[in-house]
């Protein structure tokens, strides 16, 4: 086993580049997800990627198109069901749950209508890093850069609105609009991430690294940087281990990420 | 339709599973614990795949693990209520484990080298239940339904107003843990019948619809259970009439349709009083 072997194959360099883009984008958005306590919404968006991909397969369109279209639509749907004037956490949790269940039901319907290979379903749900093409890397780069740019533009008011919505609203911050914009960015980031980790394992990069970072330091800037670093390390390590092993990359990425989280929790106690 | 044994089994198991999901779901929505229910369904998924990978009967490990995790999550989440970051981090890893067991299962059984096992566990196979499996499912679901009805009063009290309930001597923590135990049981059982992920539809949509329509808890419980039953029966009939439609998809889509209609009706009903108290 030699480490430089990792960079010899084109598919592996592609996987590492794609993993890097995805890790940075997911952890940057994820930092706000944790602050806003929107993990359930994030998970729901990641599940929505699955019917999108299945529908695209059914229609004969590229799967990437399905991922992004479904996640963008899903973000708008979530903004519609959660952004009402009378916010109540029990209504919100029922609404998000129903959106997610519907997405799964549709996904399964499309897969049954498709009669396609079920092995593809596994990689839709649990991710793969072997077949990442040059075009996919370019698409990821574009989406990642776009999301990060947008995030940089709205970061300050978004943080304000996330920490104290009422004060922010009184200060003239458009809280509802920001929330919709944020869900859109989240949808794009999730669609990008789920191509590597699979629709079900997006959390490993989206929520766990920022949660770990926020346990280590309360300072916003530092924990933001730290969560990006953690996500990068976890992705690189996970991809490298998976290269030398027969087991799926999703398992290694989630395990590394969760292991670090548990470790930090134990140390901080 | 009832001439086929698999349809009779599906109706038997489906009826009780829907009843249990509807009743439990009402409280899940009230307590805003849909995310916890979602996470538990993933735990059940991983447990079933682990058993499949090891080649043993999935049910044994499944029930034990799901209920233990449910109660454990309740115990850990007592200080910070509904800490969705903890749930999220934990079940990302649970799903990662699921991916591992899935690939072990696939590589160890070369004859069926595809994702059939995962698909079965994820999306259920309600039309594939044997008579004994259906009876067991009905029995366990009925047990869960009875348990929820039995603890409905104190559970309702401690869900709506924790402090007052505590002051009146309701053991809030014990009730909360017991409820999560029942939720774990339902999640594990429904995984057998409607699949790990579609359980979510029966937990959140009927309960959410009932909450939109009435503030009376007992009417709400009854409504939630009937919505779940209607979705279950309707889904089964639809997929029987049109065999290319998978039953679990139909069940969930009907449940969500009921939720959408109820939300529209509830919003219209609530529009006038809401205008007076704009925050």
């Amino acid at each position: 086993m030699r480490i430089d072997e990792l960079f010899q194959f084109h598919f592996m360099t592609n996987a590492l580049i794609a993993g890097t883009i995805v890790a940075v984008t997911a952890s940057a958005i994820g930092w706000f997800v944790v602050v806003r306590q929107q993990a359930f919404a994030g998970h729901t968006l990641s599940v929505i990627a699955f019917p999108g991909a299945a529908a695209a397969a059914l229609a004969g369109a590229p799967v990437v198109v399905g991922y992004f279209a479904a996640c963008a639509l899903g973000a708008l749907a979530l903004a519609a069901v959660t952004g009402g004037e009378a916010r109540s956490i029990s209504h919100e949790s029922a609404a998000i749950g129903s959106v997610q269940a519907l997405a799964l039901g549709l996904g399964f319907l499309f897969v049954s209508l498709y009669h396609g290979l079920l092995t593809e379903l596994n990689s839709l749900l649990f991710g793969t890093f072997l077949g990442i093409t040059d075009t996919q890397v370019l698409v990821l780069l574009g989406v990642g850069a776009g999301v990060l740019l947008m995030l940089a533009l709205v970061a300050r008011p978004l943080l304000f609105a996330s920490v104290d919505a009422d004060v922010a609203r009184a200060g003239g911050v458009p809280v509802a609009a920001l929330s919709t914009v944020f869900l859109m960015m989240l949808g794009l980031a999730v669609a990008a991430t789920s191509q590597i980790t699979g629709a079900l394992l997006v959390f490993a990069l989206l929520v766990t690294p920022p949660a770990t970072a926020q346990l280590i330091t309360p300072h916003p800037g530092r924990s933001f940087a730290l969560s990006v670093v953690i996500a990068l390390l976890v992705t690189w390590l996970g991809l490298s281990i998976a290269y030398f092993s027969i087991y799926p990359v999703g398992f290694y990425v989630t395990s590394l990420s969760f292991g670090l989280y548990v470790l930090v929790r134990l140390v901080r106690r | 339709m009832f001439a086929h044994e698999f349809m009779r089994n599906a109706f038997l198991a489906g009826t009780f599973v829907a009843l249990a999901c509807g009743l439990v779901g009402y409280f899940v929505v009230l307590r805003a614990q849909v995310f916890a229910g979602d996470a538990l369904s993933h735990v059940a998924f991983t447990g079933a795949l682990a058993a499949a990978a090891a080649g043993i009967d999935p049910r044994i490990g499944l029930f034990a693990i799901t209920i233990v995790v449910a109660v454990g999550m309740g115990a850990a989440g007592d200080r910070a209520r509904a800490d969705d970051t903890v749930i999220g981090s934990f079940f990302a890893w649970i799903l990662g484990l699921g991916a591992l067991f899935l690939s072990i299962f696939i590589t160890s059984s070369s004859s069926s080298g595809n994702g059939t096992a995962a698909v079965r566990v994820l999306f259920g196979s309600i039309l594939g239940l044997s008579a004994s499996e259906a009876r067991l499912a009905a029995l366990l679901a009925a047990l869960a339904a009875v348990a929820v009805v039995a603890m409905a009063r104190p559970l309702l009290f401690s869900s709506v107003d924790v402090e007052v309930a505590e002051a009146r001597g309701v053991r809030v923590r014990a009730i909360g843990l017991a409820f999560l135990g029942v939720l774990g049981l339902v999640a594990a059982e429904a995984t057998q019948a409607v699949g790990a992920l579609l359980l979510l539809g029966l937990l959140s949509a009927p309960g959410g619809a009932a909450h939109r329509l009435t503030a009376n808890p007992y009417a709400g419980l009854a409504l939630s259970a009937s919505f779940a039953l209607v979705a279950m029966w309707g889904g089964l009939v639809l997929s029987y009439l049109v065999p290319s439609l998978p039953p679990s998809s139909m069940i969930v889509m009907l449940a969500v349709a009921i939720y959408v209609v109820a939300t529209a009706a509830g919003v219209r009903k609530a529009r006038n009083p809401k205008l007076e108290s704009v925050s």
Side-chain angles (χ1 to χ4, degrees), chain B residues 6-69:
Chain B
F6 69 88
M7 280 314 278
R8 285 202 301 273
N9 290 339
F11 267 93
L12 174 65
T15 302
F16 284 96
V17 167
L19 202 61
C21 284
L23 292 173
V24 172
Y26 182 81
F27 286 106
V28 169
V29 171
L30 180 65
R31 297 164 71 85
Q33 282 180 330
V34 176
F35 195 32
D38 189 16
L40 284 178
S41 71
H42 296 93
V43 172
F45 165 74
T46 298
L49 277 181
I56 54 171
D57 187 335
R59 263 164 304 200
I60 302 159
L62 185 66
F63 283 106
I65 293 172
T66 314
I67 295 174
V68 166
V69 170

Side-chain angles (χ1 to χ4, degrees), chain A residues 80-101:
Chain A
V81 296
T82 61
E85 49 200 290
R87 275 192 69 166
S88 107
I89 59 166
S90 56
H91 283 327
E92 197 171 306
S93 109
I96 299 176
S98 302
V99 169
Q100 185 184 341

Side-chain angles (χ1 to χ4, degrees), chain A residues 19-106:
Chain A
T20 306
I21 300 167
V22 158
V24 173
T25 318
S27 56
I29 290 285
W31 190 83
F32 284 94
V33 171
V34 172
V35 171
R36 296 169 65 86
Q37 294 266 308
Q38 279 187 324
F40 193 26
H43 175 60
T44 298
L45 281 174
S46 69
V47 167
I48 289 172
F50 158 63
L58 186 63
V63 172
V64 190
V65 176
Y67 272 114
F68 285 107
C71 285
L73 277 177
L76 287 180
L78 279 186
V81 296
T82 61
E85 49 200 290
R87 275 192 69 166
S88 107
I89 59 166
S90 56
H91 283 327
E92 197 171 306
S93 109
I96 299 176
S98 302
V99 169
Q100 185 184 341
L102 181 67
L104 280 167
L106 282 175

